[in-house]
Amino acid sequence: MKLIEIDKERYRKHLNRVLVGCALSLAICSLVLSQLLIYLFPDPSGSHFHWNAIGVLVSAALVGITLSKHRYHPYLTEVYYVWQLKQALNKITRKMRKIEAAAQQGNADAMLALQYSYSGSRLLWQLDDNTIIMDELAVKQTELNNLAEKHNVSLNVDEYNEQLLKQF
């Protein structure tokens, strides 16, 4: 997955609208379905917990299916890209100890995975205005640059491929 620049304002606007739309859809659909189930199948004891739970579960499934079907819509381009990027970074994070150990021993693929992780994290943190730990990231980036120079490795995030992670 290639790292691309995202228009921060457009991303935030679309993400907020999608989140509000999902929350409203979930709330309204849950209430309507629950009330419909309670009306069709009244419980003499007055306990309608199971109908309410079914209404929420069905509504959540409908919202999920709707998002899944429309994920390639131009309106969701940035939102879906960021979601995919977070998944890609999570795969690296799960293997981070092994990757860091291999990078210290001069493994070029490990250094490339770290470079991708740092670059992707920087992109995400800038989009989400999470600049608190950017200094820590800069230190790690400097360490990686020194390590790459020591082992004579060039790091280009465009060369990163998720398949590199299989060896770790």
Side-chain angles (χ1 to χ4, degrees):
M1 175 175 186
K2 303 290 182 206
L3 294 178
I4 59 172
E5 288 298 316
I6 300 280
D7 181 5
K8 182 178 177 177
E9 290 180 29
R10 178 179 156 98
Y11 164 72
R12 297 296 296 184
K13 183 174 83 172
H14 288 199
L15 177 65
N16 288 337
R17 286 182 180 172
V18 168
L19 291 176
V20 168
C22 288
L24 287 174
S25 298
L26 184 61
I28 292 169
C29 192
S30 295
L31 287 172
V32 168
L33 284 174
S34 297
Q35 290 302 312
L36 180 64
L37 288 170
I38 291 168
Y39 176 76
L40 294 174
F41 309 105
D43 189 352
S45 69
S47 173
H48 303 294
F49 174 78
H50 55 286
W51 297 130
N52 289 327
I54 290 172
V56 171
L57 291 174
V58 170
S59 298
L62 289 173
V63 168
I65 289 168
T66 302
L67 282 175
S68 179
K69 283 189 170 214
H70 296 289
R71 67 180 173 233
Y72 298 114
H73 190 278
Y75 191 84
L76 295 177
T77 301
E78 294 86 0
V79 176
Y80 184 59
Y81 172 79
V82 169
W83 181 71
Q84 286 182 306
L85 179 59
K86 287 180 179 181
Q87 286 183 327
L89 292 176
N90 191 27
K91 288 177 183 176
I92 295 172
T93 301
R94 281 185 257 148
K95 297 184 177 197
M96 189 60 81
R97 285 188 181 167
K98 291 179 181 178
I99 292 172
E100 287 175 339
Q104 289 298 324
Q105 294 183 1
N107 185 314
D109 290 341
M111 287 187 241
L112 183 58
L114 287 174
Q115 179 67 28
Y116 184 85
S117 176
Y118 296 162
S119 298
S121 295
R122 187 177 305 108
L123 175 65
L124 285 179
W125 294 341
Q126 289 170 344
L127 287 173
D128 292 336
D129 291 328
N130 183 6
T131 56
I132 294 172
I133 51 179
M134 285 293 228
D135 293 336
E136 184 180 319
L137 182 64
V139 170
K140 288 184 177 183
Q141 183 67 59
T142 302
E143 291 172 1
L144 178 61
N145 291 343
N146 292 338
L147 189 62
E149 187 176 316
K150 176 183 171 185
H151 293 286
N152 200 25
V153 174
S154 70
L155 300 174
N156 180 1
V157 292
D158 291 335
E159 295 173 5
Y160 174 77
N161 185 331
E162 194 174 292
Q163 301 301 317
L164 297 174
L165 298 177
K166 288 184 178 182
Q167 62 186 301
F168 303 108

